[in-house]
């Protein structure tokens, strides 16, 4: 009886991990597909922030206009920089070139500086699903050798 409880705990933990990774992936895929418009934005300011573990992050303050409405937003870039010099170079590149953002056409308040498909999290979800399937199959395989009383 004790081994059944251990299997139940193992499968429950694997299912929770699978659900967590899958929900995160589903959220990121949903965000990717809802950002369906691209527009030029005006960069008001770009700041460099020292983050965790002495890494530097770049934050952009921008606005864009759709119709007669102005929208303002602040976003961090996903890239982290080892030193401040590379972050300053990135800041200069942003200020020199045209700055485009992605936004949701139905709700323009939802916008993002970068839009990329979450392939890494999708692969993690598939691998986690395969591991979970392995544990389920292993459970039935092990329990098939037990005698039914």
């Amino acid at each position: 009886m004790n081994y059944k409880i251990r299997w139940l705990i193992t499968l429950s933990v694997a299912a929770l991990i699978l659900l967590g990774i899958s929900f995160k992936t589903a959220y990121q895929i949903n965000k990717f597909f809802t950002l369906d418009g691209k527009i030029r934005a005006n960069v008001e300011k770009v700041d460099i922030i020292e983050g965790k573990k002495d890494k530097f992050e770049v934050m952009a303050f921008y606005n864009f206009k759709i119709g007669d409405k102005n929208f303002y937003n602040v976003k961090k870039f996903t890239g982290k920089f080892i030193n401040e010099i590379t972050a300053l170079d990135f800041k200069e590149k942003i200020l020199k070139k045209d700055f485009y953002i992605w936004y949701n056409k139905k709700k323009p308040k939802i916008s993002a500086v970068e839009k990329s498909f979450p392939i890494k999290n999708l692969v993690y979800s598939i691998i986690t699903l395969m591991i979970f399937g392995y544990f389920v199959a292993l459970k039935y395989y092990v329990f098939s050798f037990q005698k039914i009383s």
Side-chain angles (χ1 to χ4, degrees):
M1 186 72 170
N2 194 13
Y3 56 88
K4 288 185 179 181
I5 293 173
R6 280 189 241 144
W7 272 109
L8 182 64
I9 291 171
T10 303
L11 288 177
S12 299
V13 169
L16 284 174
I17 292 171
L18 174 64
L19 283 174
I21 292 174
S22 298
F23 281 137
K24 180 180 177 183
T25 303
Y27 172 77
Q28 290 176 342
I29 289 172
N30 182 41
K31 184 178 177 185
F32 176 81
F33 285 113
T34 57
L35 297 174
D36 51 358
K38 187 176 181 180
I39 193 168
R40 188 171 187 274
N42 300 319
V43 180
E44 293 177 5
K45 185 170 102 172
V46 178
D47 282 343
I48 297 173
I49 301 166
E50 187 170 356
K52 297 178 183 176
K53 298 180 183 177
D54 294 329
K55 299 229 175 172
F56 293 88
E57 299 174 330
V58 178
M59 182 183 292
F61 297 81
Y62 62 92
N63 64 30
F64 59 99
K65 188 174 184 177
I66 297 175
D68 58 347
K69 284 192 170 186
N70 286 324
F71 298 94
Y72 299 91
N73 212 339
V74 178
K75 292 290 179 179
K76 280 186 188 176
F77 287 91
T78 55
K80 297 187 186 330
F81 301 94
I82 297 171
N83 55 32
E84 194 171 5
I85 295 170
T86 54
L88 284 170
D89 287 343
F90 186 73
K91 175 183 174 180
E92 293 300 321
K93 286 180 186 176
I94 291 170
L95 293 173
K96 286 181 184 175
K97 68 176 187 171
D98 289 338
F99 189 74
Y100 288 93
I101 55 106
W102 295 91
Y103 71 97
N104 187 334
K105 289 181 180 177
K106 293 179 183 175
K107 296 179 184 176
K109 288 182 182 180
I110 301 172
S111 65
V113 175
E114 299 167 312
K115 177 183 175 182
S116 60
F117 190 78
I119 190 76
K120 178 180 168 184
N121 286 335
L122 184 61
V123 169
Y124 286 170
S125 295
I126 292 169
I127 290 171
T128 308
L129 179 65
M130 291 170 53
I131 291 171
F132 180 73
Y134 169 76
F135 279 128
V136 170
L138 186 64
K139 174 189 177 284
Y140 286 112
Y141 178 74
V142 169
F143 289 157
S144 68
F145 290 112
Q146 293 180 355
K147 293 181 182 178
I148 300 175
S149 303

